[in-house]
């Protein structure tokens, strides 16, 4: 029996796929089709696939050409599959000509004619309505945001708002956007806003944008109080809008896997989460300016509290803060959050340097994410018995903002109003801890 194998994503299955599968089948007696897993596609930068792996497998089966469907989940798997299944022919569309010649060592490689004029990319573009995004604030992060939207289907930045006309114009010229220094005309031009203005203005901008019927992606810290965060989510729910806190680590693939692995018990019961983030900055800068909401807590608490809240929850017993102050801002803060059966510590610096790693300690072992853990692309699970240790590698593409943008657009387009990656309750819990800090009840000044 002559065995043929072919691979693909098969998103929004189209005539090109059907022709390819028919041609592949005609090369032998038995056709194996490898369909990429969702995580494999994400890992190789294909972020916009519309059908999930189960839907894509069903679509391939429904063509009637596949005798067996397998899942492709890692680089190098093709060589394993060809040997494991005793494959005689590897077939793929001519858009890949030459790219799989390395498989000739294992079987015959055939590049089949590709059907012109149709592709999943094209179908996705036709299906997708474009979400027009306006950026509020034109600082450092906004400059990184615009290029990242260009790799996400369905997202288009069209306008920028800055109350300073010169600043708005300067930013707009760099990216060919429409500049605004008046807020209402700016909102009229867009479907959604990305708030990247100074911290103290986030709440007000988010509230105005939501009231005007616009979806909101808001930089961290979304608000500095639990009450304000709750109010914003309430308005969003009443208006049927998406409100998402741009806590970028929450959306990055490797961090998602850290959370699911720990939740599934690989380190046993979690007893301690220890996490740090420090970025030492030189004055004069917003991070060291009390009037602009500077300080380690406002700057870094949202990202660092995320693993604690995700893994240990909101039902903590108490929170203590220890801060080193300079010119009215905390240049270093240590937060200790105690739970009935676990503890955690979070260290943050804008004027003190620490190792920026994440350690999740459990009764069986610990999960270690080296610095900079918030740009997670690699982590390890370590045990007393070193032979059981495991290392995990991921890609962290571009500036990493594409993952949150993709989730934001997907929520808007698919009319999904919550994200398990950054839940409303988690965002509120983080804002509450920041609020407790500013109230100063359990604060020790060093
Ligand atoms: N294919 C084809 N003709 C097309 C589109 C795809 O023959 N018009 C083939 C590809 O060469 C590949 C298989 O179908 O062998 C699966 O490809 P896949 O990447 O799923 O399809 P595309 O439509 O090219 O997807 P995308 O636009 O996301 O790259």
């Amino acid at each position: 029996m002559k065995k043929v194998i072919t691979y693909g994503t098969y998103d929004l299955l189209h005539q090109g796929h059907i022709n390819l599968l028919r041609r592949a089948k005609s090369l032998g007696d038995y056709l194996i089709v490898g369909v990429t897993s969702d995580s494999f596609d994400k890992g190789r930068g294909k972020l916009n696939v519309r059908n999930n792996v189960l839907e894509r497998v069903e679509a391939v089966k429904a063509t009637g050409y596949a005798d067996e469907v397998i899942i492709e989940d890692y680089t190098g798997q093709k060589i394993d599959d060809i040997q494991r299944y005793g494959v005689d022919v590897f077939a793929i569309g001519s858009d890949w000509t030459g790219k799989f010649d390395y498989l000739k060592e294992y079987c015959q490689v055939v590049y089949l004619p590709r059907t012109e004029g149709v592709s999943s990319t094209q179908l996705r573009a036709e299906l997708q309505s474009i979400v027009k995004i306006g950026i509020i604030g034109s600082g450092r992060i906004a400059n990184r945001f615009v290029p990242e939207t260009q790799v996400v289907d369905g997202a288009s930045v069209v306008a920028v708002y800055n109350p300073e006309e010169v600043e708005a114009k300067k930013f707009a010229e760099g990216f060919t956007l429409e500049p605004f220094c008046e807020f209402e005309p700016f909102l009229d031009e867009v479907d959604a806003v990305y708030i990247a203005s100074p911290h103290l203005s986030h709440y007000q901008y988010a509230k105005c944008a939501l009231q005007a019927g616009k979806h909101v992606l808001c930089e961290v810290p979304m608000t500095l109080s639990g009450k304000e965060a709750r109010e914003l989510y309430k308005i969003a729910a009443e208006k049927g809008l998406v409100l998402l806190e741009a806590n970028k680590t929450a959306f990055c693939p490797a961090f998602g896997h850290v959370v699911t692995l720990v939740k599934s018990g690989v380190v046993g019961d979690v007893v301690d989460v220890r996490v740090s983030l420090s970025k030492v900055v030189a004055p004069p800068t917003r991070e060291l300016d009390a009037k602009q909401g500077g300080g380690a807590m406002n700057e870094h608490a949202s990202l660092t509290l995320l693993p604690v809240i995700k893994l240990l929850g909101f039902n903590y017993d108490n929170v203590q803060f220890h801060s080193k102050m300079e010119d009215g801002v905390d240049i270093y803060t240590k937060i200790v959050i105690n739970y009935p059966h676990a503890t955690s510590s979070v260290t943050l610096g804008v004027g003190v340097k620490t190792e920026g790693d994440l350690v999740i300690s459990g009764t069986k072992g610990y999960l270690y994410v080296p610095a900079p853990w918030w740009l997670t692309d690699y982590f390890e699970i370590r045990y007393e018995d070193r032979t059981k240790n495991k290392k995990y590698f991921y890609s962290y593409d571009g500036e990493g903002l594409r993952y949150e943008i993709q989730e934001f657009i997907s929520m808007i387009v698919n009319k999904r109003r919550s994200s398990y990656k950054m839940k409303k309750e988690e965002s509120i819990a983080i804002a509450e801890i920041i609020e407790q800090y500013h109230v100063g009840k359990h604060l020790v000044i060093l």
Side-chain angles (χ1 to χ4, degrees), residues 237-258:
E238 282 165 4
K239 298 243 174 204
L241 295 166
V242 172
L243 170 61
L244 189 64
E245 182 166 5
N247 199 319
K248 69 175 176 183
T249 308
F251 306 96
C252 101
F255 181 75
H257 200 195
V258 166

Side-chain angles (χ1 to χ4, degrees), residues 173-194:
E173 268 167 29
F175 293 111
T176 43
L177 312 173
E178 204 177 336
F180 289 89
C181 51
E182 299 286 335
F183 199 55
E184 274 167 30
F186 160 79
L187 285 182
D188 288 343
E189 287 304 305
V190 302
D191 307 312
V193 296
Y194 168 58

Side-chain angles (χ1 to χ4, degrees), residues 114-160:
R114 185 179 158 94
T115 309
E116 291 308 316
V118 60
S119 75
S120 305
T121 305
Q122 187 187 322
L123 291 176
R124 283 192 292 264
E126 282 165 19
L127 278 177
Q128 185 100 44
S129 47
I130 299 290
V131 176
K132 289 192 282 172
I133 305 175
I135 300 189
I136 300 174
S138 49
R140 285 169 279 174
I141 187 92
N143 273 288
R144 308 214 305 259
F145 184 84
V146 182
E148 289 283 290
T149 57
Q150 286 155 4
V151 296
V152 179
D153 279 356
S156 173
V157 179
V158 296
V160 61

Side-chain angles (χ1 to χ4, degrees), residues 7 11 57 110 177 216 322 347 391 411:
Y7 294 85
D11 189 28
V57 166
V110 176
L177 312 173
V216 172
H322 309 260
T347 45
K391 297 177 188 201
M411 288 171 80

Side-chain angles (χ1 to χ4, degrees), residues 17 84 124 130 143 159 177 184 187 257 280 282 288 291 330 333 346 353 359 372 399 403 436:
H17 294 139
R84 186 185 307 139
R124 283 192 292 264
I130 299 290
N143 273 288
L177 312 173
E184 274 167 30
L187 285 182
H257 200 195
V280 174
L288 297 174
K291 288 199 204 79
D330 56 316
T333 291
V346 172
K353 195 67 193 155
V359 183
E399 297 283 348
Y403 306 111
Q436 287 188 48

Side-chain angles (χ1 to χ4, degrees), residues 14 137 158 160 266 277 333 429 441 443:
H14 54 69
V158 296
V160 61
V266 292
L277 199 170
T333 291
K441 218 162 125 197
L443 170 63

Side-chain angles (χ1 to χ4, degrees), residues 6-12 14-21 23 36 44 46 49 91-96 112-124:
T6 189
Y7 294 85
T9 304
Y10 303 101
D11 189 28
L12 304 170
H14 54 69
Q15 195 57 44
H17 294 139
I18 297 170
N19 295 346
L20 186 286
L21 293 174
R23 288 174 187 140
T36 50
R44 61 194 189 123
K46 226 173 169 173
V49 175
I92 196 98
S94 53
D95 45 324
W96 294 97
L112 291 166
R114 185 179 158 94
T115 309
E116 291 308 316
V118 60
S119 75
S120 305
T121 305
Q122 187 187 322
L123 291 176
R124 283 192 292 264

